[in-house]
Amino acid sequence: DPYNPNNILGFYTGLSIPKECQYGQTLGESCDIYAYGETKTIKWNREHIWSKSRGFPTESYDAYTDTHHLVASESWMNSTKNNRFFESCDLGVDINIEDRGYGNYTCNEWSFEPRDEVKGDIARMIFYMMVRYYIELELEIIDNPMDLFSGAQEAINSNMSIYGDLEDLLQWHIDDPVSQKEIDRNDAIFIYQGNRNPFIDYEHFVDLIFDGYPYS
């Protein structure tokens, strides 16, 4: 949290959470935070934006600990996202839409829509993961990934190295362009990890890689 260095900002809510309120630690009164209209005990943990179960399930894989797609997330929202595919939950188009709070939704059989403030961030993290690990892990981004499964349970249990929805991620990249916060994060990760997310440095790389894709 730039306004309080003793706290982190929960990725999916923007809530300022004390660092010591990490999942698995002894939680004190500082972890009692006003959220969802009441004071609750809030915990945070490490979230893999590209879910680790989809291609790199253990720490033996570099992708498991690649900082470019790791964020601090509210533990309950991390559990809600699970290994759901990213998708826009549109009224009149999608089913089973459920408001998960702070601008986050789940819908259909196994989809998650994050709040608007992080949609572009997520898209560029997913694009990075595909390019960085395509050869090693055959990570792919596709349209309508749920079409490959008979239902949610099969999608949950699958270890296929795929993510999506490509069309929505491309649109999120446009609607939520690179922010100064992303640039600062990219700079910090470069110091720590020694590489960068090129889609933050050069947004037009998305157009070059997905040239001719029908999005506006």
Side-chain angles (χ1 to χ4, degrees):
D1 183 345
Y3 299 104
N4 185 348
N6 295 314
N7 287 18
I8 60 93
L9 291 177
F11 186 73
Y12 292 119
T13 66
L15 287 172
S16 185
I17 306 169
K19 293 177 182 177
E20 64 265 23
C21 301
Q22 188 172 11
Y23 185 86
Q25 304 297 316
T26 301
L27 305 181
E29 292 184 2
S30 65
C31 304
D32 295 335
I33 299 170
Y34 187 79
Y36 289 99
E38 60 180 325
T39 300
K40 323 174 49 165
T41 300
I42 303 296
K43 299 171 285 187
W44 67 272
N45 57 7
R46 180 175 62 177
E47 154 77 327
H48 294 79
I49 294 298
W50 187 301
S51 297
K52 59 185 183 289
S53 62
R54 303 203 181 280
F56 41 91
T58 69
E59 291 190 16
S60 64
Y61 297 93
D62 289 339
Y64 191 101
T65 51
D66 192 317
T67 318
H68 280 294
H69 83 123
L70 297 180
V71 297
S73 170
E74 314 74 2
S75 58
W76 84 90
M77 198 65 79
N78 192 342
S79 297
T80 298
K81 184 259 184 172
N82 202 304
N83 67 355
R84 284 179 161 90
F85 299 113
F86 290 111
E87 182 180 1
S88 294
C89 298
D90 299 320
L91 289 172
V93 177
D94 297 301
I95 61 172
N96 302 326
I97 298 177
E98 185 173 349
D99 186 343
R100 299 293 188 158
Y102 293 91
N104 303 279
Y105 295 86
T106 54
C107 62
N108 299 323
E109 292 183 276
W110 199 241
S111 297
F112 181 83
E113 178 181 357
R115 63 191 181 113
D116 290 344
E117 291 86 345
V118 298
K119 282 179 175 173
D121 308 48
I122 286 172
R124 288 177 282 276
M125 290 181 196
I126 294 291
F127 297 151
Y128 162 85
M129 291 296 289
M130 183 198 74
V131 170
R132 170 65 181 83
Y133 297 102
Y134 178 77
I135 294 175
E136 178 185 346
L137 301 174
E138 298 184 343
L139 300 189
E140 290 189 81
I141 310 169
I142 64 174
D143 278 325
N144 305 313
M146 278 303 299
D147 289 350
L148 300 177
F149 307 104
S150 60
Q153 197 58 53
E154 185 178 341
I156 294 167
N157 296 333
S158 171
N159 61 1
M160 291 179 66
S161 304
I162 60 170
Y163 236 93
D165 177 89
L166 176 58
E167 183 176 8
D168 286 336
L169 290 169
L170 290 168
Q171 192 63 56
W172 294 356
H173 171 66
I174 295 171
D175 294 342
D176 178 29
V178 172
S179 65
Q180 187 60 50
K181 182 179 177 181
E182 273 185 277
I183 294 170
D184 293 343
R185 171 184 162 89
N186 203 25
D187 291 342
I189 291 174
F190 176 72
I191 294 171
Y192 171 77
Q193 189 167 286
N195 73 329
R196 305 180 67 84
N197 182 336
F199 300 104
I200 294 174
D201 292 328
Y202 307 101
E203 292 180 76
H204 68 284
F205 278 8
V206 174
D207 297 311
L208 298 176
I209 292 174
F210 300 100
D211 182 40
Y213 193 86
Y215 69 100
S216 57

